[in-house]
């Protein structure tokens, strides 16, 4: 079984990093996780984003978090991207594959994936 | 909801919103039934709210006037011949023992019983979203049990957040290992 000693090692590794990281997270990615989002498939979208942000080495600048109902249930799963000094981008009808593209193209390379953005 | 584990994710959200510092998620798969208990020490509900909470037109959300979490869980349980019970003690009346317990029973051989689904993914998602509150997860099966208590992890982590990627990964592997131990028998 996984040992608490392993967790201890993670703690030692992360302790210094945490101090460094405070205040540097300037991009916030929010996934709608109310009943509507969950039923539409938000859980795998959230977990794909968390995985991909880590794989792409973005954990120092990007925070992935959860929120309640955004109010557009028929477009769930919904992912919102908040970047300092920029307008909010709302991605709709997401799935894990689309989430990975958003992580790579938007969060890493800075190009909004317009085909997944909600049309006004 | 395609999986009961998604209902768990959804109902646990209510506990966190009620200000719970500890939420217990207990799944018992014994015989023909799956019993799901979500017990929190949040603010609880008044008798008035308790009476309306299964009505889909009652909700705490402000974006619209429909709340489907508990009605969906009730439906999921009752369509298998099972049941849903809610016990709640509101903080005003019970300042020292407040909280809510939701208990759902499913008959797993019924054709309309949704699969339990991916408990590991649900637990990961819950902790990722709420690193500052504690969860005790206990899954009892015929031939073994799986458990996780974030209070224990928090003690070891000394301030490193539970939603740190490496910690979430550790939680995932910890749970998966426990499940594979049970499968090996």
């Amino acid at each position: 079984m996984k040992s608490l000693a392993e967790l201890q090692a993670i703690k030692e590794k992360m302790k210094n990093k945490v101090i460094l990281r405070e205040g540097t997270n300037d991009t916030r990615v929010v996934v709608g996780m109310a009943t509507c989002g969950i039923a539409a498939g938000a859980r795998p979208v959230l977990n794909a984003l968390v995985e991909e942000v880590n794989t792409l080495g973005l954990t120092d600048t990007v925070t992935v978090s959860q929120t309640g109902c955004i109010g557009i249930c028929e477009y769930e799963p919904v992912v919102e991207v908040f970047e300092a000094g920029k307008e909010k981008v709302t991605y709709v009808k997401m799935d894990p594959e689309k989430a990975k593209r958003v992580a790579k193209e938007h969060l890493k390379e800075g190009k909004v994936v317009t085909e997944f953005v909600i049309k006004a | 909801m395609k999986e009961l584990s998604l209902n768990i994710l959804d109902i646990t959200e209510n506990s966190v919103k009620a200000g719970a510092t500890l939420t217990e998620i207990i799944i018992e798969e014994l015989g023909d039934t799956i019993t799901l208990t979500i017990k929190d020490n949040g603010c609880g509900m008044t008798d008035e709210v308790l009476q309306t909470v299964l009505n889909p037109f009652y909700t705490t959300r402000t974006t619209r006037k429909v709340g489907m979490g508990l009605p969906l869980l009730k439906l999921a349980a009752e369509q298998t011949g099972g049941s849903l019970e809610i016990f709640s003690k509101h903080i005003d009346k019970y300042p020292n023992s407040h909280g809510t317990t939701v208990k759902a029973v499913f008959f797993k051989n019924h054709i309309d019983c949704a699969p339990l689904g991916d408990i590991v993914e649900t637990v990961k998602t819950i902790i990722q979203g709420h690193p500052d509150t504690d969860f005790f997860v206990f899954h009892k099966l015929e031939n073994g049990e799986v458990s996780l208590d974030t209070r224990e992890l928090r003690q070891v982590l000394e301030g490193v957040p539970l939603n740190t990627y490496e910690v979430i990964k550790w939680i995932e592997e910890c749970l998966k290992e426990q499940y594979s131990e049970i499968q090996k028998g």
Side-chain angles (χ1 to χ4, degrees):
Chain A
M1 210 191 111
K2 290 300 274 185
S3 67
L4 288 174
E6 269 173 79
L7 197 62
Q8 181 92 29
I10 293 173
K11 182 205 78 184
E12 297 302 336
K13 207 181 93 191
M14 299 314 294
K15 230 166 56 185
N16 305 323
K17 247 182 138 179
V18 169
I19 301 159
L20 257 174
R21 197 188 281 174
E22 258 169 42
T24 61
N25 290 26
D26 40 22
T27 300
R28 216 158 52 84
V29 183
V30 178
V31 183
M33 293 290 289
T35 307
C36 48
I38 293 169
R43 188 183 67 182
V45 169
L46 174 91
N47 287 325
L49 278 170
V50 169
E51 271 310 313
E52 210 58 14
V53 162
N54 183 69
T55 308
L56 297 170
L58 303 173
T59 45
D60 287 344
T61 52
V62 178
T63 317
V64 182
S65 57
Q66 305 176 20
T67 188
C69 179
I70 294 162
I72 44 171
C73 310
E74 62 274 38
Y75 291 102
E76 293 281 358
V78 174
V79 174
E80 294 180 316
V81 179
F82 298 87
E83 285 172 286
K86 287 188 194 169
E87 238 178 84
K88 171 183 86 175
V89 178
T90 305
Y91 291 108
V92 297
K93 298 195 172 179
M94 294 296 281
D95 63 34
E97 288 311 310
K98 290 179 181 175
K100 281 184 197 163
R101 274 193 57 194
V102 167
K104 183 170 175 287
E105 294 172 32
H106 185 164
L107 304 177
K108 191 175 168 80
E109 294 163 8
K111 292 177 297 207
V112 175
V113 190
T114 46
E115 54 185 295
F116 308 150
V117 172
I118 191 166
K119 309 283 185 295
Chain B
M1 298 279 178
K2 288 183 187 131
E3 301 176 359
L4 301 182
S5 68
L6 293 176
N7 291 101
I8 298 176
L9 180 57
D10 191 28
I11 300 304
T12 305
E13 201 65 36
N14 298 342
S15 297
V16 175
K17 271 218 197 91
T21 54
L22 175 68
T23 304
E24 296 170 55
I25 300 166
I26 298 154
I27 309 156
E28 293 159 291
E29 276 187 87
L30 301 168
D32 299 338
T33 60
I34 301 174
T35 305
L36 172 65
T37 310
I38 296 168
K39 181 173 186 262
D40 70 57
N41 63 357
C43 63
M45 292 180 275
T46 59
D47 293 340
E48 220 179 354
V49 171
L50 196 54
Q51 273 167 25
T52 55
V53 83
L54 287 171
N55 177 345
F57 298 102
Y58 174 80
T59 181
T60 55
R61 76 165 95 182
T62 49
T63 45
R64 60 169 50 187
K65 293 193 171 98
V66 186
M68 296 300 287
L70 280 165
L72 279 174
L73 181 63
K74 184 169 191 268
L75 175 72
E78 287 180 351
Q79 73 185 6
T80 72
S83 58
L84 178 82
E85 285 177 291
I86 307 170
F87 311 94
S88 197
K89 288 181 175 176
H90 192 255
I91 190 161
D92 286 350
K93 229 170 152 185
Y94 302 90
N96 300 313
S97 61
H98 53 89
T100 298
T101 300
V102 174
K103 185 176 171 187
V105 180
F106 303 84
F107 283 91
K108 60 181 172 193
N109 295 330
H110 195 287
I111 191 158
D112 289 325
C113 190
L116 189 55
D118 199 331
I119 298 297
V120 177
E121 285 297 293
T122 279
V123 173
K124 268 170 66 186
T125 307
I126 291 170
I127 297 172
Q128 198 274 343
H130 309 289
D132 300 324
T133 57
D134 281 309
F135 299 95
F136 171 66
V137 181
F138 185 76
H139 187 172
K140 189 165 178 48
L141 296 111
E142 287 294 351
N143 47 354
E145 54 196 45
V146 171
S147 70
L148 184 91
D149 192 333
T150 59
R151 289 170 295 186
E152 287 173 12
L153 310 190
R154 207 180 290 284
Q155 256 184 352
V156 175
L157 287 167
E158 289 173 8
V160 172
L162 276 161
N163 62 351
T164 306
Y165 180 80
E166 285 79 357
V167 176
I168 295 288
K169 262 325 214 207
W170 183 92
I171 290 169
E172 176 179 2
E173 282 161 28
C174 174
L175 291 168
K176 280 186 176 164
E177 277 180 23
Q178 292 184 54
Y179 280 113
S180 66
E181 282 299 313
I182 291 176
Q183 273 175 353
K184 269 189 255 163

